[in-house]
Amino acid sequence: MIHLPHDDNTCGWYNALPKQPKQALLTGAQKADYVVLGAGFAGLAMARRLAEHAPNARIALIDAQRIGEGASGRNSGFVIDLPHKFSLEHPDPAHKQRLLSLNRFAIDQLASLVAKYNIDCQWSAAGKYQGAVGARGEAYLDHFEHLMTDLGEPFEHVTGTDLAKVLGTNYYSRAIYTPGGYLVQPAALACGLGANLPKNIEVFEHSPIVRLEKEQGGWLLQGEHGSIKTPQLLLGTSIFTREFGFLKNRLLPVMTFASWTRPLNDKEMQQYTGLLDWGLTPADHAGTTLRMTADRRIIIRNTYQHVAKYGNSISDKLRQEIQNDHRKVFLARYPQLVDVPFTHSWGGTYAISRNFTNFFGQLDDGVFASACDNGVGVAWGTVSGTLLADYVMGATSQSLDDIQQVTGMPSLNPPEPLLGLGVKSRIKLAKWQSRSEI
Ligand SMILES: Cc1cc2nc3c(=O)[nH]c(=O)nc-3n(C[C@H](O)[C@H](O)[C@H](O)COP(=O)(O)OP(=O)(O)OC[C@H]3O[C@@H](n4cnc5c(N)ncnc54)[C@H](O)[C@@H]3O)c2cc1C
């Protein structure tokens, strides 16, 4: 039995969008030259690039939900150029340079699509602050500074006083600012990309695929109201790839959570005292991500949960506890905004692997995937989706060589319940160790 995505309708980004146009459902018995399953940033990029290579082919892009309702529309909207977390620690400098140039490939591609189609998604060259609250965070910042120096990338020190002028809070002791990252309203970007696809792509939303069968001449994808057969299947299904029997026991489903306020009014903006349109990630990874959007909303993101059954693993009680924690974190930073309520709190599921390795390539005859983004899928989904389509079409490029060099096989997980217990205790330990930085 295939477990389907279980994202609820609580996501602030998606709810802030104008009503989306009616979608098409997958019905009847259909055929396509290519099927792309999953319409997050990876699947959107796969479909677009396939269509550029094969403008006369029939390409179907299918998602269980509306475009923008999955993790691609639920994230914090950092489009990050730098190698992330563990990749930044990689011993081979060439590996990190390849990641950097792949992420920049994605940023350039997204920037030109946003400009070309005039996508209204708060796309902004805002860079990124990495902030420390106390000694533990500052030690991480010192280490980050060495890594950036080794990488040859620009960065600036920001004192606590200068940071407070930007953030409107003196909660942080200092930060490092890196200029290469972008900020975006992720659901608006995903929907904007989905609304401006080449004409030979047919999009089917609210069309979960519940069975995948290998048949003579291709693959049959069985939906709830119809089916589609294809010789070439590209999976942009992230963590859900394992539901089709691929990369089984190699991907870990993790959920993280965000809450945001309504837009601050003029009086509250005066109390806030900071600037608009910035983003801060925590120096200590288990800490809190903080954003002020261009339209005056403050966002808090933290907390990780291992979710074997995706959104179904989270009870209402746990959701409420997480929201209460977010409120405490918000008020610790902005006690002057005590009267500003949260309007939305939501979570989203993504894939990590124990060796922090992304999968890119062929899984079976006619089946290809980019899966396991390790939590930075806006840029990674875009570049890996684009290059996967190049790979399927037999194109060659330096970027394709690069992505094949930096990807590999996610390592095997121990069986359940050992896996769940292990991940849960690691998350708990990290939370406890980082309590001063949350
Ligand atoms: C709260 C939060 C904050 C985050 N912050 C950031 C950030 O700031 N920057 C960043 O880069 N990343 C961030 N991430 C991670 C990022 O959202 C993911 O890495 C990214 O969405 C992965 O994109 P994707 O296209 O590979 O997969 P997804 O966006 O997960 O898309 C997969 C799609 O497959 C569909 N699907 C699955 N199963 C089926 C099926 N059976 N039938 C049909 N369709 C199916 C799903 O509905 C889904 O739309 C964050 C994630 C969360 C949850």
Side-chain angles (χ1 to χ4, degrees):
M1 179 193 156
I2 284 184
H3 292 285
L4 294 171
H6 185 75
D7 291 318
D8 56 19
N9 60 2
T10 52
C11 176
W13 297 117
Y14 194 81
N15 278 288
L17 298 179
K19 202 167 164 22
Q20 296 302 299
K22 221 170 167 312
Q23 82 279 9
L25 294 177
L26 178 67
T27 54
Q30 307 208 24
K31 285 186 176 165
D33 299 308
Y34 301 89
V35 170
V36 176
L37 190 58
F41 289 118
L44 286 162
M46 289 172 197
R48 179 180 301 281
R49 188 66 145 211
L50 282 175
E52 286 166 6
H53 282 292
N56 297 318
R58 182 174 189 226
I59 299 166
L61 174 61
I62 304 174
D63 203 290
Q65 315 183 77
R66 297 298 315 263
I67 293 176
E69 282 186 329
S72 287
R74 306 171 85 82
N75 60 63
S76 303
F78 288 81
V79 193
I80 298 172
D81 60 334
L82 299 170
H84 196 50
K85 296 185 188 172
F86 301 93
S87 311
L88 204 49
E89 308 279 348
H90 199 281
D92 178 7
H95 180 96
K96 294 190 268 198
Q97 290 299 337
R98 287 188 188 103
L99 286 170
L100 199 55
S101 80
L102 288 166
N103 288 338
R104 290 192 171 144
F105 174 113
I107 289 175
D108 289 349
Q109 189 184 5
L110 289 172
S112 72
L113 290 169
V114 166
K116 180 173 178 186
Y117 297 112
N118 206 9
I119 299 174
D120 182 9
C121 62
Q122 299 177 24
W123 178 260
S124 157
K128 179 167 87 66
Y129 295 91
Q130 188 138 332
V133 176
R136 182 178 167 89
E138 291 192 13
Y140 276 106
L141 279 191
D142 292 341
H143 181 57
F144 180 63
E145 179 176 340
H146 285 128
L147 294 170
M148 294 303 290
T149 307
D150 286 351
L151 201 60
E153 284 299 308
F155 63 88
E156 287 167 32
H157 293 282
V158 187
T159 63
T161 313
D162 285 345
L163 194 59
K165 290 180 192 151
V166 178
L167 308 187
T169 171
N170 55 15
Y171 193 76
Y172 293 89
S173 59
R174 62 183 170 90
I176 287 180
Y177 174 78
T178 49
Y182 281 65
L183 292 176
V184 72
Q185 204 287 32
L189 177 60
C191 290
L193 293 171
N196 291 287
L197 289 167
K199 292 283 170 273
N200 60 324
I201 299 173
E202 282 174 68
V203 181
F204 301 103
E205 296 171 87
H206 274 166
S207 300
I209 296 303
V210 294
R211 209 169 57 241
L212 177 65
E213 284 166 14
K214 196 172 190 173
E215 289 193 339
Q216 182 75 19
W219 292 86
L220 182 72
L221 290 86
Q222 185 62 55
E224 288 172 340
H225 306 289
S227 66
I228 190 161
K229 189 168 174 182
T230 184
Q232 306 269 43
L233 172 62
L234 283 73
L235 296 174
T237 37
S238 183
I239 183 64
F240 306 98
T241 307
R242 64 186 196 152
E243 297 295 333
F244 300 103
F246 300 117
L247 303 174
K248 250 196 139 39
N249 305 325
R250 292 183 185 273
L251 306 178
L252 285 168
V254 172
M255 205 160 168
T256 186
F257 300 83
S259 295
W260 79 4
T261 65
R262 61 162 165 68
L264 304 191
N265 61 32
D266 290 347
K267 186 169 157 239
E268 289 156 355
M269 280 303 289
Q270 282 175 4
Q271 294 167 334
Y272 157 68
T273 70
L275 305 181
L276 292 178
D277 197 21
W278 50 260
L280 176 143
T281 56
D284 177 342
H285 299 308
T288 295
T289 295
L290 191 65
R291 256 190 84 175
M292 169 52 114
T293 63
D295 61 356
R296 300 181 169 191
R297 295 177 190 268
I298 296 174
I299 304 173
I300 301 285
R301 195 229 30 99
N302 60 32
T303 309
Y304 297 94
Q305 294 283 331
H306 173 245
V307 285
K309 291 190 199 140
Y310 317 119
N312 275 325
S313 301
I314 305 294
S315 65
D316 289 347
K317 183 167 168 274
L318 183 54
R319 273 180 204 276
Q320 189 57 54
E321 281 169 20
I322 292 168
Q323 190 179 342
N324 294 345
D325 284 350
H326 283 174
R327 193 70 198 164
K328 279 188 207 143
V329 163
F330 172 73
L331 289 178
R333 285 155 178 78
Y334 299 105
Q336 72 275 33
L337 299 178
V338 64
D339 293 330
V340 180
F342 285 157
T343 53
H344 297 88
S345 293
W346 65 95
T349 309
Y350 61 91
I352 61 170
S353 59
R354 289 204 310 146
N355 57 355
F356 295 97
T357 296
N358 314 92
F359 179 83
F360 173 93
Q362 185 155 10
L363 289 166
D364 201 336
D365 286 344
V367 182
F368 305 84
S370 159
C372 197
D373 48 77
N374 286 305
V376 278
V378 182
W380 184 258
T382 300
V383 64
S384 65
T386 302
L387 294 173
L388 191 75
D390 285 354
Y391 176 75
V392 170
M393 302 306 283
T396 56
S397 67
Q398 182 60 51
S399 298
L400 188 51
D401 287 350
D402 284 346
I403 203 164
Q404 288 176 303
Q405 298 258 9
V406 298
T407 51
M409 187 53 84
S411 56
L412 266 178
N413 298 326
E416 292 287 7
L418 279 184
L419 174 68
L421 290 171
V423 179
K424 269 182 200 140
S425 45
R426 257 188 89 164
I427 290 175
K428 255 195 176 155
L429 178 66
K431 191 174 174 190
W432 185 80
Q433 287 172 328
S434 310
R435 63 198 181 286
S436 58
E437 292 289 317
I438 289 175

